Amino acid sequence: MDHHDVVDTLISPEGRLEVLSKAEVAKLLDTSQGGLYQIFRNCALAVLNCGSSIDDGKELLERYKSFDISIVQRERGIKLDIKSAPAIAFVDGKMIKGIHEHLFAVLRDIVFVSNEVTDNPNFDMTRSDGITDSVFHILRNANVLKPQRNPNLVVCWGGHSINRVEYNYSKEVGYQMGLRDLDICTGCGPGAMKGPMKGATIGHAKQRLTGGRYLGISEPGIIAAESPNPIVNDLVIMPDIEKRLEAFVRTGHGIIVFPGGAGTAEEILYILGILLHPDNAEIPYPLIFTGPETARDYFRQIDSFIGTTLGAAAQKRYKIIVDDPEAVAREMQMAIKEVREFRKSRSDAYYFNWLLKIDQEFQRPFKPTHENMRSLSLHKNQETHLLAANLRRAFSGVVAGNVKNEGIRAIEKYGHFEIHGDPAIMGPMDSLLSSFVAQSRMKLPGKTYVPCYRVIQ
């Protein structure tokens, strides 16, 4: 079957989605700027494109221009009428069940965020606690906060464009964690996001563990480049990258970072920036960087970049374990026990890390426009956690220019993003980004990478 083949279908939700009001349906079908149709259509297309080799939001939208999804309201509930969907989402004409579930998860989150969060005066988005509250409500509405469970959720970060050796290694780490009854949360796309989930399913199966969790957290801008893999049994679409990152660190009990490109560097700077905040000094938060032997130099470079920009205090917040999946899983299991004791002693919830202080600089949505990228404050004359926040924004812009529809179009129109700052920071940043390019970490293999940025020293 050619991946350009398309299928028309009509599907009903399975128990997870309540009935939508007429106003909600109208909003979803509204194709004007204010409506939700465009965002819903693009996220739905990304979900249906699972397993394809496209990691370019613009290319995906152009390839399936005739794709359309509409809501049919019946007295007994709703159905989705889907036209020209990628055939890759179907087996013998029937939609894969995991993908079917994901479509309704997308619908649920987009309607909820619009009605209950964005348009709700009860959430004060100018305040840090208001933003955290909105993240909590979106996750609770998606039914992913599980109060009855002991801490065991490991967030796995890493690139969507990794080589086969690194992918197999991430799968082995997932397997070792699955054997130890640890659940997995990732950005839900391919590569280092799919590997740990795949491995964990086998580990869980061997231990006869039912109810294993494979939580995927995405956002509308990135989902087209990183279609959720159908192993994900809980999918949540957060409104933007900042709320997605906050959802990761507040629901997870520890983080493992596999090799990756600019997006992985963004995630590393995000978590380190939070852990470097003076209020978080005492909070245990296991953070492990790991990869196969071939990734040793990769982590050496990341470690050196962190040392140069954020200093030795940041380097103390993580461990690097190379080529030892069992050690990674054991280390994580032991560290999560410490997290449990800490939360218990302070009566903090196991399912949502309320105690973690997240500075508003990490929460405010950053729009990577040419002007915003040019005016980033990348110098050492500021508190370290704030420098981390600005470095994260710089890498976030590179991700947008690489794979996000809006970012790619902005680069086509106005040329490269320009990144300015202290030569002492720009030099290491340029060589780190250049190494990602040289190691094919910016785009899926087989595509020539044309940089979307220029580092100006």
Side-chain angles (χ1 to χ4, degrees), residues 37-83:
Y37 173 76
Q38 212 49 50
I39 185 173
F40 174 52
R41 175 189 178 272
N42 295 356
C43 290
L45 176 57
V47 163
L48 289 160
N49 189 50
C50 167
S52 116
S53 59
I54 299 181
D55 70 341
D56 175 327
K58 176 172 170 272
E59 186 188 331
L60 174 67
L61 296 173
E62 284 177 357
R63 180 178 293 184
Y64 294 103
K65 271 198 173 105
S66 58
F67 170 73
D68 189 53
I69 184 163
S70 57
I71 296 166
V72 183
Q73 211 168 9
R74 302 270 165 89
E75 290 312 313
R76 291 202 305 274
I78 60 162
K79 283 183 185 287
L80 291 181
D81 186 9
I82 301 170
K83 299 269 188 280

Side-chain angles (χ1 to χ4, degrees), residues 184-241:
I184 309 290
C185 169
T186 76
C188 77
M193 293 167 271
K194 181 177 170 186
M197 286 190 169
K198 250 189 153 165
T201 56
I202 305 300
H204 288 155
K206 285 191 176 179
Q207 294 286 24
R208 301 293 184 266
L209 295 165
T210 52
R213 298 182 68 201
Y214 315 106
L215 172 60
I217 303 177
S218 193
E219 56 96 18
I222 202 79
I223 194 169
E226 297 175 357
S227 295
N229 66 76
I231 297 166
V232 170
N233 57 10
D234 270 317
L235 175 66
V236 190
I237 312 292
M238 302 302 289
D240 52 57
I241 194 82

Side-chain angles (χ1 to χ4, degrees), residues 127-140 144-146 151-155 157 185 213 215 217 238 241-255 270-271 274-275 277 279-280 283-286 339 342-343 348-364:
R127 292 168 51 99
S128 187
D129 54 358
I131 295 171
T132 296
D133 209 27
S134 75
V135 169
F136 173 81
H137 276 81
I138 295 165
L139 292 168
R140 187 176 67 178
V144 298
L145 302 175
K146 308 286 184 193
N152 77 334
L153 187 64
V154 182
V155 172
W157 284 339
C185 169
R213 298 182 68 201
L215 172 60
I217 303 177
M238 302 302 289
I241 194 82
E242 288 76 12
K243 290 180 190 62
R244 179 195 191 200
L245 288 166
E246 182 165 349
F248 280 131
V249 302
R250 293 214 191 260
T251 50
H253 302 110
I255 294 175
Y270 179 86
I271 184 63
I274 288 166
L275 297 179
H277 192 290
D279 292 7
N280 295 329
I283 296 182
Y285 206 114
V339 170
F342 179 84
R343 301 256 189 115
D348 191 23
Y350 289 160
Y351 53 85
F352 193 81
N353 193 338
W354 289 105
L355 288 177
L356 208 60
K357 164 77 180 160
I358 300 185
D359 194 286
Q360 224 171 333
E361 289 300 309
F362 289 89
Q363 294 178 308
R364 203 176 303 122

Side-chain angles (χ1 to χ4, degrees), residues 79-95:
K79 283 183 185 287
L80 291 181
D81 186 9
I82 301 170
K83 299 269 188 280
S84 301
I88 198 167
F90 298 81
V91 175
D92 300 337
K94 274 197 78 154
M95 190 179 289

Side-chain angles (χ1 to χ4, degrees), residues 305 309 378 391 394-395 398 419 424-434 455:
F305 177 75
T309 54
L378 301 173
L391 283 168
F395 282 99
V398 174
I419 306 171
I425 294 173
M426 293 298 97
M429 185 173 185
D430 198 19
S431 49
L432 184 64
L433 284 165
S434 302
V455 175

